[in-house]
Amino acid sequence: MSHLLYGGNVVANDVRLHYLRYGGQGHPLVLIPGITSPAITWGFVAEKLAEYFDVYVLDVRGRGLSSSGDHLQYDTETCVNDILAFVAALELTEYHLVGHSMGARFAIRCASQHPQGLKKIVLIDPPVSGPNRRAYPSQLPWYVDSIQQSIEGMDAEEMKKFCPTWTLEQRQLRAEWLHTCYLPAIVKAFNDFHDVDIHQYIPQISVPALLMVAGKGGVIQADDIDEIQKLNPNISLSHVENAGHMIPWDDEQGFYQAFGDFLDQSII
């Protein structure tokens, strides 16, 4: 039986933000997906987390059912302000923030502002690119070509060109929802991976933080881990050795195990 309670919309930071709520019991947990991941694509993870937490999965602006269009801004600061306004709109007085990839970068920036109620953050394989740094390993044309094809219409078999290791169900869901990723929003987020120095905010994180690294992702390397922990020695570390950047897609059980008891629950 599904733990999905409902999908909803709130007005936050002057835009409509859509979210999915799972579970409804336990400590609130806000999940921020990556650059081209509408909330529904993290549903299988939210179902598991909902056994332990009250889970809210956000459609970042320009994705899924949240506001989109050329009249909006899609820079890091604006999206971070969305998250903080979203939490306030839902009146979450205490919450954990879990972000994957782009969402992890947003979580770093959120935490650096010391928002009231934020208890812990989990940073799932955040891009460590930035000014004068090693480029993010994925290439922009991969995103552009797949989104453009999805706008025209694509099926799971056509998605295999872009996600060859994914299961049929995973590719079906991505093929169904990728067209909701507004291309200018994706391009801006990708450019911000390289133009925004997210490292400057790491020393300002005062809440407990867990950095989860994909062993096969190529996004975070040993030198990057050393730098992050020197910037903030209080950041804990876990590895999912057999997973690429999309960790729960590659090793779902390893993903849950990597949380350990960081969130005061062992996810089994």
Side-chain angles (χ1 to χ4, degrees):
M1 188 173 81
S2 175
H3 292 90
L4 175 64
L5 297 179
Y6 57 86
N9 296 280
V10 296
V11 177
N13 200 24
D14 298 322
V15 296
R16 182 191 71 254
L17 294 177
H18 175 259
Y19 66 97
L20 300 174
R21 187 182 184 187
Y22 294 78
Q25 303 294 321
H27 199 287
L29 183 154
V30 179
L31 178 58
I32 311 298
I35 184 170
T36 55
S37 293
I40 189 63
T41 63
W42 276 79
F44 71 105
V45 172
E47 290 280 7
K48 183 64 177 180
L49 295 178
E51 297 177 16
Y52 306 89
F53 305 100
D54 184 10
V55 181
Y56 299 81
V57 190
L58 180 65
D59 269 333
V60 176
R61 66 165 64 196
R63 288 104 175 146
L65 301 180
S66 288
S67 291
S68 188
D70 60 7
H71 62 294
L72 298 178
Q73 301 298 314
Y74 299 99
D75 58 282
T76 295
E77 288 296 305
T78 297
C79 292
V80 166
N81 289 336
D82 284 353
I83 295 167
L84 298 176
F86 172 75
V87 169
L90 293 179
E91 299 182 347
L92 301 181
T93 56
E94 292 188 350
Y95 63 99
H96 301 316
L97 194 56
V98 177
H100 171 249
S101 192
M102 176 192 75
R105 288 171 64 95
F106 291 171
I108 291 170
R109 181 64 179 121
C110 283
S112 75
Q113 299 186 45
H114 311 290
Q116 186 175 1
L118 178 61
K119 296 303 177 184
K120 295 183 178 182
I121 61 172
V122 179
L123 310 172
I124 306 167
D125 220 41
V128 291
S129 45
N132 302 312
R133 292 181 176 274
R134 184 181 74 254
Y136 183 59
S138 293
Q139 301 296 310
L140 183 59
W142 184 88
Y143 298 103
V144 173
D145 293 348
S146 61
I147 291 171
Q148 288 180 333
Q149 188 170 345
S150 75
I151 292 171
E152 297 171 1
M154 69 192 308
D155 59 20
E157 187 61 28
E158 293 166 318
M159 183 59 74
K160 189 181 290 186
K161 171 185 174 183
F162 300 98
C163 305
T165 65
W166 287 24
T167 67
L168 174 62
E169 184 178 15
Q170 291 167 349
R171 286 184 279 112
Q172 285 175 327
L173 192 61
R174 185 168 178 83
E176 178 186 2
W177 281 89
L178 186 60
H179 75 92
T180 69
C181 293
Y182 182 56
L183 189 53
I186 307 310
V187 171
K188 178 57 178 172
F190 183 88
N191 288 339
D192 272 11
F193 286 175
H194 302 88
D195 297 338
V196 174
D197 175 22
I198 207 67
H199 290 74
Q200 66 181 303
Y201 303 117
I202 293 175
Q204 300 169 25
I205 298 172
S206 58
V207 297
L210 174 66
L211 174 65
M212 188 185 300
V213 177
K216 297 182 178 179
V219 174
I220 300 177
Q221 299 178 4
D223 289 349
D224 302 313
I225 296 171
D226 290 342
E227 179 182 11
I228 289 169
Q229 291 193 311
K230 286 178 181 176
L231 288 170
N232 192 325
N234 296 319
I235 294 179
S236 303
L237 177 68
S238 66
H239 285 87
V240 187
E241 295 295 350
N242 295 318
H245 182 58
M246 302 297 288
I247 296 177
W249 279 255
D250 292 342
D251 183 1
E252 186 177 356
Q253 198 55 43
F255 171 71
Y256 301 132
Q257 291 172 352
F259 282 87
D261 61 359
F262 178 73
L263 297 178
D264 302 317
Q265 297 274 3
S266 293
I267 303 168
I268 58 175

